[in-house]
Amino acid sequence: MLDDYSQYLHDNRYEDWATIKHDGDNINIRVKQDGDVIKNMLITLGSRTDDLVFVDVKGNFTLMISQK
């Protein structure tokens, strides 16, 4: 299953945005962009007990970066 998921991410040009590791648990955030617009965000939560949760967020999101 993970091999298929990895192939899907590669085939659909998802970019790694962040990986958070804590006490054996991992959170991975990957996005698919069209220019400055984020079209999809895939969040993968993996626990040290081998449980996996996939969250697929779809929409049109833009990044607002303020300069001070």
Side-chain angles (χ1 to χ4, degrees):
M1 179 168 97
L2 289 178
D3 290 338
D4 293 337
Y5 181 64
S6 293
Q7 189 64 45
Y8 173 81
L9 294 173
H10 176 56
D11 291 347
N12 289 282
R13 296 187 181 108
Y14 279 88
E15 299 176 44
D16 284 327
W17 257 28
T19 299
I20 303 160
K21 297 181 179 190
H22 179 70
D23 289 337
D25 297 332
N26 295 318
I27 300 171
N28 295 302
I29 301 171
R30 296 172 179 93
V31 299
K32 186 175 184 179
Q33 288 182 253
D34 184 8
D36 290 338
V37 178
I38 298 169
K39 296 291 188 176
N40 289 78
M41 181 179 295
L42 293 174
I43 303 168
T44 308
L45 310 160
S47 73
R48 61 180 166 252
T49 61
D50 294 330
D51 292 326
L52 288 172
V53 175
F54 299 96
V55 179
D56 184 8
V57 180
K58 295 182 181 184
N60 291 307
F61 308 98
T62 57
L63 293 175
M64 303 288 291
I65 300 173
S66 75
Q67 297 180 2
K68 294 183 179 185

